[in-house]
Amino acid sequence: MDIKEIQNLIKFVAKSGASEVKLEMDDVKITIKTGSDTPETKIIQAAMPAAPQMMAAPVAAAPQPVASEPAAPAAPKATEDESKYLTIKSPIIGTLYRKPSPDKPVFVEVGSEIKAGDTVCIIEAMKLFNEIESEVSGKIVKVLVDDSSPVEFDQPLFLVDPS
């Protein structure tokens, strides 16, 4: 089971509202517990040849159509409306945090005015916290990623109205 399949499974479980899901295959045991803002995932994997991956793909593929169907109709409308905005994208893979610490306010919210060089979020990668600075000036019109969410390289994080 690769990381994309696990991330899709986590997103599906979080959206479904289930409080706990356990998935056991020959060499992989995954437990996903939700109930707070961030899902907790434990993955235990024993060394095995490539055969179990064939079994993992159908299991992970089943939730994907359900999770992606509702997003499909919204995408064309979103692209038309959002084409005039600039996008702040993730420069690295990691976990996005919108606050400098749990007891502090978020860096930016919808409606916040930002300048080039302002910190908009932090991305944790390999226990290093990287401040992500805006390369554009403008007003935040949409936050595309939740706090404590995994992000991919070049994934859109914020939409900015440059006017």
Side-chain angles (χ1 to χ4, degrees):
M1 202 171 205
D2 69 4
I3 193 73
K4 280 266 195 220
E5 292 170 330
I6 294 169
Q7 287 177 339
N8 287 334
L9 183 62
I10 292 169
K11 288 176 187 173
F12 177 75
V13 170
K15 287 180 183 177
S16 73
S19 60
E20 182 175 347
V21 173
K22 291 184 180 182
L23 176 65
E24 294 187 27
M25 291 177 264
D26 292 335
D27 68 332
V28 178
K29 292 182 183 182
I30 298 176
T31 303
I32 302 172
K33 293 181 183 180
T34 59
S36 65
D37 290 342
T38 58
E40 174 186 321
T41 306
K42 293 180 183 177
I43 302 171
I44 303 170
Q45 186 168 0
M48 291 277 295
Q53 290 180 350
M54 289 180 219
M55 294 175 64
V59 172
Q64 286 178 329
V66 175
S68 64
E69 285 176 17
K77 293 177 190 172
T79 356
E80 294 170 10
D81 299 336
E82 297 170 358
S83 61
K84 62 183 176 184
Y85 301 130
L86 299 174
T87 305
I88 298 176
K89 295 182 179 182
S90 174
I92 56 175
I93 297 173
T95 303
L96 178 131
Y97 296 101
R98 296 191 52 215
K99 305 175 189 178
S101 66
D103 58 334
K104 302 276 171 114
V106 293
F107 286 108
V108 293
E109 300 179 60
V110 173
S112 297
E113 291 288 334
I114 60 169
K115 299 184 292 283
D118 287 353
T119 301
V120 293
C121 63
I122 294 175
I123 297 181
E124 176 189 7
M126 297 176 57
K127 305 292 182 197
L128 295 175
F129 291 85
N130 303 285
E131 289 187 356
I132 307 305
E133 296 178 352
S134 173
E135 295 178 358
V136 296
S137 296
K139 182 178 180 180
I140 300 286
V141 291
K142 191 167 186 182
V143 177
L144 303 170
V145 182
D146 294 328
D147 191 34
S148 304
S149 297
V151 292
E152 297 291 326
F153 172 75
D154 215 29
Q155 177 178 342
L157 305 176
F158 301 93
L159 289 181
V160 179
D161 185 359
S163 55

